[in-house]
Amino acid sequence: MLRHARLLAHLNGFAFLPAVHAVGGAIRDLLFGLEPSDIDLATRARPAELSSLVAARGWTVVPVGEGHGTVKVIHPRFGPVEVTTFRRDLSTDGRRATVAFASTIEEDLSRRDFTINAVAMRPDGGVIDPFGGVGDIRYRRLRFVGDPGTRVREDYLRVLRGFRFARRYDLEIDGPTRTAMLRYAAEVPDRVSIERIVAEFDRAFEDPAAGAYIADLYGAGLLIQRRVVPELAGVDGLRLDPDRHPEGSLLEHIARVIGESPPSHRWHALFHDIGKVVSARSSSRGPWHCYPDHEEVGARQVRLIARRLKLDRALSTSLEVVTRHHGIPFRMAALGRFPTDAERRRFQVALGVYLADLRTLHRAHGPTTPAVSRLFEPLPRAELEPALKGRHLVAAGFRHADEPSAPDERNFSAVLARAYEYQLEMGEIDPQALLTEALLPK
C-alpha cells in the first residue's frame, strides 16, 4: 500500500471513472522516495464515455490526443490532469505506435518501456506491479518490460531514456537491457526525429548526473553519430594540461563542466570546447595537447550544429557567441593581472546580452579570480553603445555618402567606426569630442 496525500486525493477525485489508476512517473518517483510531479491517470472508460462522465460534473475537457485516448481534464481543485484510456499496442515502426483500447490496467502496463515505469496505484493505495518494478526499484536495477530488443525496436528513443533513468536514479542496467541498448544505439539518430532526441537531452540536462549521462552516450557511440554531434568524436583521446585541467581527457573535462553548470547552460558546457578536436596539436611542454584558435573554430562549428539539431534561435546565437569568446577570461586569469578599462569595454561589447551566459559557464569551471570578476562587472550602457550617431553627423552638416563624390563629403561608416573605436579605447562618450577625434588626419 502506498500513502501519499496528493496522489490519493487525485485518485479519489476521479473515482467516478471505471478502474481509475495513477500511472507513470508519479508512481515511479514516489517509490524512489521522491516527491511526484505531474500526476497522470488511466481508466477503462473509452474516450467518449470518459468525456461524458467528466462533462457531467461540469468540468472542462480538452482533447490532447483523442486518437490515443488521452484528454486533459481541468479539475476545479487540481487544475489540468491528463487521463488516458487503457491501451495496448497493435504495431510500431520504431517511432510511433498504432494502439487499440484495452480492458485492464495490466494490458496497459505491458506496453510500457521499463519495469520501474510499469507500476500503477489504485484509489485505495494498492499497487499493481505485474513486471517486478517495485523490486527493481528496491534493488536499484533498470530492466525493460519483456524482451529488451522488442522494446527498443518499438521506440528507439528508449535507448536514450534508459541511460537517462540509470543516471537519474543511480541504477545498474540489467545485462540483457544494456546489451539491447548498446546494440541499437547507433540506429537511434536514423530512427528517431532530431526534435525528440533534443527534447530527451533537455530532460537529461535537468538532472544532477547530466555530465555522466553525456559520457555514457559518448561511450555507446550515440552522441557522435552523424545526425547528432559527430564533431565531438575523439574527445576521449585528447589530453589537457594537468596544471589547468586535472580531469585528464577532454571528454572528462566536458562532462565535469556539464555537471557543474546549471541546467539552463548545459548546452553551452557541451559545446564550449568542441573546436579543440580540429585544432588539437601536440604540446612542446608535456604529453598533452594544445588547442590554438579553438574558440573561433568551435564557434563556426556550433552554428552548423545548432542548425542540425534545430535548436532555438536565441539559444543558438548564445552558444555561438559564448563559444567564440569563452577563452578570454581564462587567458586573463593566466596573466594574473586586472583588465584595463578598454579591455573590459571591448569584452562586454563582444558578448553583448550574452555576458551573463559566459559568466555562468566560467563559474562552472571552478573558482574565479578577482581579475576575471572585474572583467564581468557590467559597465554602464552609455560606455558600451556608440555615442556618436549618424544624426550627429547630419546636424554637423555632413551628407551621407558611402562613396564620397566630392572632397567635402564624409563617409559616415568610416567616421562612425573611428569614433566608436576611440570611445572603446579611451572611454570618451561626448559626441562632439568623438567627432573631432574621428575627423583628425590619420
Side-chain angles (χ1 to χ4, degrees):
M1 301 289 285
L2 292 176
R3 295 296 175 192
H4 185 275
R6 190 159 61 93
L7 263 172
L8 291 172
H10 275 68
L11 284 166
N12 288 315
F14 284 87
F16 61 91
L17 296 177
V20 68
H21 289 75
V23 294
I27 309 304
R28 178 192 66 228
D29 286 351
L30 180 61
L31 290 167
F32 273 113
L34 304 172
E35 180 62 26
S37 52
D38 294 335
I39 297 175
D40 296 328
L41 304 180
T43 175
R44 187 174 60 234
R46 302 296 174 91
E49 179 188 6
L50 169 57
S51 296
S52 176
L53 289 170
V54 171
R57 281 174 154 66
W59 304 343
T60 301
V61 178
V62 181
V64 294
E66 282 189 295
H68 287 77
T70 300
V71 300
K72 183 179 293 184
V73 178
I74 310 302
H75 191 279
R77 177 182 170 193
F78 307 129
V81 179
E82 285 198 359
V83 185
T84 302
T85 301
F86 296 156
R87 297 174 294 180
R88 57 187 174 87
D89 290 341
L90 294 178
S91 64
T92 65
D93 62 2
R95 304 184 186 198
R96 295 168 297 273
T98 301
V99 301
F101 298 125
S103 300
T104 67
I105 185 63
E106 287 80 9
E107 287 180 280
D108 187 83
L109 295 177
S110 70
R111 66 183 298 272
R112 310 272 166 165
D113 49 10
F114 299 98
T115 61
I116 63 173
N117 294 327
V119 183
M121 177 179 170
R122 299 192 306 260
D124 64 359
V127 174
I128 309 298
D129 179 28
F131 303 103
V134 174
D136 286 339
I137 289 172
R138 181 180 300 118
Y139 295 108
R140 319 297 293 192
R141 183 172 55 214
L142 186 71
R143 285 191 303 125
F144 277 120
V145 171
D147 177 66
T150 300
R151 286 286 89 87
V152 174
R153 290 190 298 272
E154 289 171 347
D155 185 353
Y156 285 79
L157 189 71
R158 287 170 174 171
V159 174
L160 282 167
R161 295 190 81 210
F163 284 117
R164 176 165 65 88
F165 285 138
R167 285 299 179 181
R168 181 180 184 185
Y169 298 108
D170 190 23
L171 306 176
E172 180 180 351
I173 302 176
D174 174 68
T177 293
R178 178 178 290 278
T179 298
M181 289 167 58
L182 294 177
R183 176 184 175 185
Y184 293 105
E187 297 185 41
V188 173
D190 291 321
R191 301 279 191 165
V192 180
S193 72
I194 199 62
E195 291 89 349
R196 292 184 73 206
I197 291 174
V198 168
E200 190 64 25
F201 272 63
D202 284 332
R203 294 186 187 97
F205 283 166
E206 293 291 327
D207 295 335
Y213 168 80
I214 288 297
D216 289 341
L217 296 190
Y218 185 92
L222 200 161
L223 180 66
I224 55 177
Q225 288 297 307
R226 62 179 180 84
R227 292 186 60 227
V228 190
V229 196
E231 293 85 352
L232 283 171
V235 292
D236 57 331
L238 295 177
R239 314 308 296 177
L240 303 175
D241 182 347
D243 291 336
R244 296 179 57 191
H245 301 291
E247 303 97 330
S249 74
L250 181 55
L251 174 62
E252 292 169 307
H253 169 69
I254 291 172
R256 185 189 67 79
V257 176
I258 289 173
E260 295 295 331
S261 298
S264 59
H265 286 75
R266 284 178 167 156
W267 285 107
H268 295 81
L270 176 62
F271 292 141
H272 78 284
D273 271 346
I274 199 164
K276 286 184 174 179
V277 178
V278 175
S279 61
R281 304 289 185 272
S282 296
S283 175
S284 60
R285 298 187 297 111
W288 56 82
H289 297 86
C290 58
Y291 307 93
D293 202 32
H294 75 276
E295 297 98 332
E296 183 59 37
V297 172
R300 292 196 297 267
Q301 288 178 313
V302 164
R303 183 187 310 161
L304 299 176
I305 295 168
R307 191 177 305 155
R308 181 195 312 143
L309 300 184
K310 300 182 181 180
L311 299 181
D312 174 81
R313 181 175 297 180
L315 172 61
S316 301
T317 305
S318 177
L319 291 170
E320 183 179 348
V321 172
V322 168
T323 300
R324 175 172 285 113
H325 299 287
H326 80 271
I328 296 174
F330 296 104
R331 288 190 288 273
M332 183 64 63
L335 291 172
R337 64 171 179 80
F338 275 77
T340 65
D341 289 342
E343 287 172 327
R344 291 179 65 204
R345 284 189 287 268
R346 294 182 191 282
F347 175 71
Q348 295 192 22
V349 165
L351 269 299
V353 297
Y354 305 109
L355 180 69
D357 290 334
L358 179 50
R359 181 172 56 219
T360 299
L361 177 66
H362 190 270
R363 286 172 176 169
H365 279 75
T368 189
T369 65
V372 172
S373 295
R374 178 71 172 165
L375 193 64
F376 282 107
E377 288 179 11
L379 290 163
R381 289 180 60 182
E383 291 189 34
L384 305 179
E385 295 180 353
L388 183 68
K389 305 182 186 300
R391 57 184 171 83
H392 295 120
L393 299 187
V394 172
F398 299 116
R399 288 185 297 159
H400 181 273
D402 287 332
E403 296 294 336
S405 58
D408 62 335
E409 289 183 324
R410 305 288 180 174
N411 185 313
F412 270 37
S413 299
V415 171
L416 293 174
R418 286 197 296 269
Y420 192 43
E421 175 64 25
Y422 185 77
Q423 175 182 337
L424 294 179
E425 184 63 30
M426 304 304 295
E428 178 62 70
I429 59 173
D430 178 68
Q432 186 57 51
L434 291 171
L435 178 58
T436 300
E437 176 64 28
L439 297 177
L440 289 175
K442 302 298 179 185

